[in-house]
Amino acid sequence: MLRKSKPKNVDPPELHIVKYLNYFDYALQMMTCDHHVPPDRYNERVEEHLRSTGFYHVSQIGVVQCQKAIVNALVERWHPDTHTFHLPVGECSVTLEDVAMIFGLLTDGLPVIGMTLSSFEALEAECLHQFGVTPRKSDCRGSGIKLTWLQDLKERLQLTDENSIQVYIKCYIMLLIV
């Protein structure tokens, strides 16, 4: 019979983060960050196009493994009202620069901005503009596209011309970042 483990009290200073990792049942556990649609490899024919977008390094990351104890400690210290981690040494937040350094993304140039799509008709028009096809209502949830629609579109594309390669790259990048 499985015993439920009693949650450890991590509030006393002697049990914060580093010492927290010394507990056998936490320190040895690995956590895999799952993706709704498993990351897949891109078609080798589009590698140069992917490099030119700046997302090549992100595509090479794959499955991320991390210490479950560290993640648990950080989750317990997250304060959603200030979007910071409250640690014994002070507050810490993750910045755009941190994300850019971790993923190797460029942050110079113009920002990516646009309208928030609040209707199916607006979503339809944007998909037609970006991908050359429109989703059915069953391929959408609210004002968003289901990932399976993007995955199917990417897999169906014949990379015969520059336009199809650009659509393929857009689908691939969208699947990377969602």
Side-chain angles (χ1 to χ4, degrees):
M1 180 174 194
L2 293 173
R3 285 183 13 204
K4 285 187 176 180
S5 61
K6 183 179 169 185
K8 293 184 176 35
N9 179 3
V10 294
D11 286 335
E14 67 269 14
L15 294 181
H16 274 288
I17 300 180
V18 174
K19 295 194 184 228
Y20 188 55
L21 296 175
N22 291 331
Y23 285 104
F24 178 78
D25 56 337
Y26 287 123
L28 297 180
Q29 294 180 32
M30 294 297 285
M31 182 174 83
T32 301
C33 301
D34 294 325
H35 200 275
H36 297 290
V37 176
D40 60 340
R41 293 287 301 156
Y42 52 84
N43 186 312
E44 298 298 326
R45 294 173 48 201
V46 302
E47 184 171 317
E48 281 308 310
H49 289 83
L50 189 57
R51 284 181 186 274
S52 70
T53 65
F55 280 90
Y56 173 76
H57 294 294
V58 177
S59 73
Q60 301 303 301
I61 292 173
V63 177
V64 177
Q65 290 188 342
C66 53
Q67 287 287 336
K68 196 173 202 172
I70 292 173
V71 172
N72 287 341
L74 289 173
V75 165
E76 290 178 4
R77 293 293 167 196
W78 177 252
H79 286 251
D81 52 324
T82 58
H83 299 288
T84 57
F85 295 102
H86 289 235
L87 304 172
V89 295
E91 290 185 353
C92 174
S93 63
V94 180
T95 65
L96 178 60
E97 184 180 18
D98 296 330
V99 174
M101 299 266 307
I102 291 167
F103 290 121
L105 294 172
L106 298 175
T107 55
D108 57 345
L110 297 173
V112 177
I113 58 171
M115 294 176 30
T116 301
L117 305 177
S118 59
S119 69
F120 178 72
E121 291 75 24
L123 180 67
E124 221 175 16
E126 188 62 27
C127 285
L128 186 60
H129 175 70
Q130 295 295 331
F131 304 114
V133 293
T134 59
R136 298 180 309 248
K137 277 203 175 203
S138 61
D139 294 322
C140 299
R141 183 172 300 139
S143 62
I145 304 167
K146 292 181 181 176
L147 296 179
T148 52
W149 182 80
L150 281 171
Q151 184 71 34
D152 292 343
L153 176 60
K154 183 177 81 65
E155 289 174 4
R156 283 193 321 264
L157 285 168
Q158 301 294 318
L159 304 177
T160 55
D161 59 4
E162 187 65 26
N163 187 50
S164 62
I165 290 172
Q166 291 301 320
V167 171
Y168 182 94
I169 292 293
K170 288 176 186 179
C171 289
Y172 184 77
I173 290 171
M174 289 293 290
L175 290 165
L176 276 178
I177 62 176
V178 292

